[in-house]
Amino acid sequence: MAQTILSVSGLSKQYGERRAVDGVSFQVQRGQTVGLLGPNGAGKSTTVSMICGLVRSDGGTVLMDGQPVGEGNNAAKRKIGLVPQDLALYEDLPAIDNLKLFGGLYGLKGAALMQRCHAVLELVRLADRAKDKPSTFSGGMKRRLNIAAALLHDPELLILDEPTVGVDPQSRNAIFDTLETLKAQGRSLIYTSHYMEEVERLADHIVIIDHGKVLADESPAALYARLPAQAALRADLQQPVAPALAEAVARLPGVTRVAVTGQGLDIGLADTAAAPSVLRWLDEQGHKLAHFATARTNLEDIFLTLTGRSLRD
Ligand code: ADP
């Protein structure tokens, strides 16, 4: 049975006139990966900083395994690992020494500390670079070392704040592999991002946040079910599109909406399987195609449906 590991309730934060976070509530179940999705400035970093007790909230509660995560060090906070956006590494200290230092802050020492340092380096695929200094690392490798540092104390919940921003593709893949391994081990994750493909790939549950408010808190399947169209067909014709044609297409089986743009039709479909019959119908009616493309709708469309705005700037 699902078991709640983190419960966030009515979390708020005001900076001057700006309500950065405005009554955010959501939960994370044990073993679940929650994607916290929203555009830049939505309030994601402030939310996760309050969850970890790094930023004082103006209101609301955070319970980790039923215990409040307050200020200062406490048992509830120890169950959380945070990978912040800002890198905090000693550039001229070998990777392994960076980890020994961070591990020491968590009270790890001796053989147990060394065992954890090597285990986390392995996990982020930096075992062969243990003796090298972060100053010789790419941005992505530094980010991976940061993930390793956040895992040293074996937290039950790992929170990653936009971990792939400014990261090269190779490190991005290594980060995803690491997160997929952690997921398979049953660890709980919160992953903030403004990249819908990343959240789509990893998350079992999605919280969409905008202007400090939660707009959606659902499984990916439930979010997709909210969309009027599950797939889109773009059909460019060799001749201009008459309004009557658009109306006729709108009446075809499986078509949810039709818009005329330029010399083509943007057609919403209940299912991609409806595309061939629409194309066949156009051909039978003597409309010659210049080009066509189909696409599955994605979280970008969901954000657009919810806010009327695009996810990215
Ligand atoms: P996100 O992580 O989604 O990009 P943030 O939580 O960083 O969003 O920011 C939410 C809003 O709060 C933004 O408008 C940002 O400018 C503002 N903000 C964040 N931190 C501070 C701060 N320390 N002082 C003043 N405003 C802040």
Side-chain angles (χ1 to χ4, degrees):
M1 204 178 75
Q3 197 189 357
T4 303
I5 186 164
L6 181 82
S7 180
V8 176
S9 177
L11 216 49
S12 296
K13 182 72 187 176
Q14 184 107 11
Y15 286 117
E17 294 287 288
R18 187 182 297 275
R19 265 201 168 286
V21 176
D22 193 0
V24 163
S25 303
F26 67 94
Q27 295 188 336
V28 180
Q29 307 302 321
R30 200 172 288 279
Q32 196 177 45
T33 296
V34 170
L36 192 57
L37 182 72
N40 283 325
K44 305 182 296 295
S45 285
T46 309
T47 299
V48 297
S49 300
M50 289 192 287
I51 291 173
C52 300
L54 294 176
V55 165
R56 188 197 295 247
S57 70
D58 297 335
T61 54
V62 178
L63 296 179
M64 178 68 196
D65 248 351
Q67 301 296 314
V69 181
E71 283 172 54
N73 211 347
N74 59 47
K77 200 179 275 183
R78 229 188 124 85
K79 293 181 181 174
I80 306 176
L82 173 69
V83 185
Q85 267 187 44
D86 299 322
L87 301 165
L89 295 169
Y90 294 94
E91 293 280 331
D92 290 319
L93 211 55
I96 187 88
D97 293 338
N98 263 283
L99 292 178
K100 284 200 287 202
L101 200 81
F102 289 119
L105 298 177
Y106 284 112
L108 294 168
K109 44 181 169 306
L113 172 61
M114 287 317 292
Q115 188 272 329
R116 283 305 298 158
C117 288
H118 288 296
V120 295
L121 277 174
E122 196 72 50
L123 197 61
V124 300
R125 302 187 165 190
L126 284 177
D128 57 336
R129 303 296 301 264
K131 295 199 173 84
D132 296 337
K133 296 172 179 173
S135 56
T136 68
F137 285 2
S138 70
M141 289 163 73
K142 288 182 194 176
R143 186 79 52 154
R144 280 148 67 193
L145 187 56
N146 255 72
I147 296 175
L151 287 166
L152 278 167
H153 64 299
D154 206 13
E156 290 175 39
L157 171 69
L158 183 69
I159 304 181
L160 302 110
D161 195 5
E162 304 247 12
T164 61
V165 167
V167 162
D168 55 283
Q170 195 191 346
S171 277
R172 189 169 175 266
N173 286 334
I175 290 172
F176 274 107
D177 288 346
T178 300
L179 298 182
E180 269 156 8
T181 303
L182 291 171
K183 256 181 89 131
Q185 290 171 351
R187 206 165 313 231
S188 313
L189 305 174
I190 296 179
Y191 186 102
T192 89
S193 182
H194 63 282
Y195 296 119
M196 55 88 193
E197 322 85 57
E198 295 189 350
V199 169
E200 255 186 319
R201 176 167 164 189
L202 276 177
D204 316 305
H205 194 88
I206 295 171
V207 175
I208 297 180
I209 170 168
D210 190 28
H211 298 306
K213 286 196 164 80
V214 172
L215 300 182
D217 177 5
E218 280 158 83
S219 68
L223 272 177
Y224 280 112
R226 278 213 209 186
L227 278 173
Q230 299 297 306
L233 169 66
R234 168 78 196 173
D236 287 314
L237 304 182
Q238 291 178 9
Q239 302 86 27
V241 179
L245 175 62
E247 284 164 26
V249 170
R251 287 193 294 271
L252 294 174
V255 173
T256 56
R257 62 174 163 77
V258 178
V260 180
T261 46
Q263 197 130 308
L265 295 157
D266 281 317
I267 304 165
L269 300 172
D271 195 303
T272 19
S277 61
V278 173
L279 292 172
R280 209 175 309 118
W281 182 88
L282 284 169
D283 187 55
E284 283 163 9
Q285 301 296 312
H287 301 287
K288 294 286 164 249
L289 283 174
H291 175 258
F292 78 92
T294 55
R296 198 169 69 87
T297 49
N298 55 35
L299 289 178
E300 193 85 42
D301 300 298
I302 291 171
F303 191 79
L304 197 66
T305 305
L306 288 170
T307 65
R309 289 186 298 113
S310 166
L311 191 54
R312 276 175 245 183
D313 314 316

